[in-house]
């Protein structure tokens, strides 16, 4: 993160005429996405839910990070769920790509990690999909909410999990806990 932020500071030096050509070349390579991410990551880190933790494997690549969600209530309490977030070059016109890396029994997340969250859809019928005004903070809060208030059994991606919940809520809870013990510790 510091390297990208320092590139942006060098950009200010270039604008004021206090620069050499090496600095100028490195500043030109900073994309619009990366400029947005410097600001958004700072805002995200300042407003992160207490059940979430963000990890940047490479601090120079703000467009790729991992998110750990540890719900403190509901069916998924005591589990630790890891998501991989990849922000495309076309950001903020296109939404980040998110995959759940932790195997989970959830109506809105498949066992292979696909996620059903309207704000991650580029084109959404209900109008709640991605918009350029959305930020990484919205994505993180949305993923966190999949374990509480956005848990949706009526419009599932994992139909089998949703039907399981409708059939037998206690057995559904047991299966969720089995998955947590096996995969989400």
């Amino acid at each position: 993160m510091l390297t990208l932020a320092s590139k942006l500071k060098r950009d200010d030096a270039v604008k004021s005429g206090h620069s050499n050509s090496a600095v100028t070349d490195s500043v030109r390579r900073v994309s619009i996405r990366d400029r947005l991410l410097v600001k958004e990551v700072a805002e995200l880190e300042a407003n992160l839910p207490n059940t979430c933790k963000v990890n940047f494997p490479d601090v120079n690549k703000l467009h790729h990070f991992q998110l750990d969600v540890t719900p403190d209530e509901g069916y998924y309490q005591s589990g630790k769920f890891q998501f991989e977030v990849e922000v495309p070059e076309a950001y903020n016109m296109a939404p980040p790509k998110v995959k759940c890396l932790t195997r989970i029994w959830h109506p809105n997340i498949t066992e292979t990690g696909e996620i059903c969250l309207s704000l991650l859809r580029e084109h959404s019928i209900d109008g709640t999909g991605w918009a350029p005004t959305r930020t990484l903070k919205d994505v993180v809060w949305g993923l966190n909410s999949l374990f509480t208030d956005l848990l949706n059994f009526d419009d599932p991606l994992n139909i089998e999990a949703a039907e399981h919940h409708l059939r037998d809520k206690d057995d559904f809870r047991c299966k969720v806990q089995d998955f947590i013990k096996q995969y989400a510790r």
Side-chain angles (χ1 to χ4, degrees):
M1 255 183 333
L2 296 177
T3 304
L4 188 54
S6 65
K7 284 182 183 179
L8 293 176
K9 287 180 184 175
R10 285 186 290 215
D11 185 28
D12 291 339
V14 169
K15 287 178 184 173
S16 64
H18 300 99
S19 170
N20 62 33
S21 64
V23 171
T24 304
D25 290 342
S26 70
V27 170
R28 285 187 195 138
R29 288 187 221 127
V30 178
S31 68
I32 293 171
R33 172 197 67 187
D34 291 340
R35 289 174 186 261
L36 283 170
L37 290 178
V38 168
K39 293 175 186 170
E40 286 190 24
V41 166
E43 179 187 351
L44 173 64
E45 289 176 334
N47 297 293
L48 203 59
N50 62 358
T51 55
C52 295
K53 182 181 178 206
V54 175
N55 176 39
F56 292 90
D58 182 343
V59 295
N60 293 313
K61 295 181 180 176
L62 297 181
H63 61 277
H64 178 80
F65 64 92
Q66 293 175 340
L67 172 70
D68 291 337
V69 178
T70 310
D72 58 4
E73 61 180 286
Y75 290 116
Y76 301 93
Q77 184 176 2
S78 79
K80 180 180 178 184
F81 304 95
Q82 189 173 62
F83 295 86
E84 181 177 62
V85 180
E86 186 73 35
V87 181
E89 191 64 42
Y91 183 79
N92 66 350
M93 298 306 289
K97 305 296 179 208
V98 182
K99 182 175 182 168
C100 184
L101 301 177
T102 308
R103 194 162 171 213
I104 186 172
W105 189 244
H106 192 290
N108 310 113
I109 303 172
T110 66
E111 289 184 62
T112 57
E114 297 171 72
I115 300 166
C116 179
L117 182 61
S118 61
L119 71 87
L120 294 176
R121 291 187 205 139
E122 200 159 351
H123 306 289
S124 179
I125 296 170
D126 62 4
T128 60
W130 186 257
T133 55
R134 295 202 183 267
T135 65
L136 289 179
K137 183 177 80 170
D138 298 323
V139 172
V140 168
W141 280 86
L143 291 169
N144 186 58
S145 295
L146 277 178
F147 297 99
T148 55
D149 53 327
L150 290 183
L151 182 61
N152 186 351
F153 294 98
D154 297 326
D155 183 22
L157 182 59
N158 183 344
I159 295 168
E160 190 178 348
E163 288 175 348
H164 185 191
H165 180 266
L166 290 173
R167 254 188 343 270
D168 188 343
K169 288 177 180 49
D170 290 333
D171 192 50
F172 175 83
R173 181 181 298 279
C174 287
K175 187 161 185 174
V176 166
Q177 289 305 309
D178 287 345
F179 269 62
I180 287 172
K181 287 175 189 162
Q182 272 190 297
Y183 309 109
R185 293 287 175 177

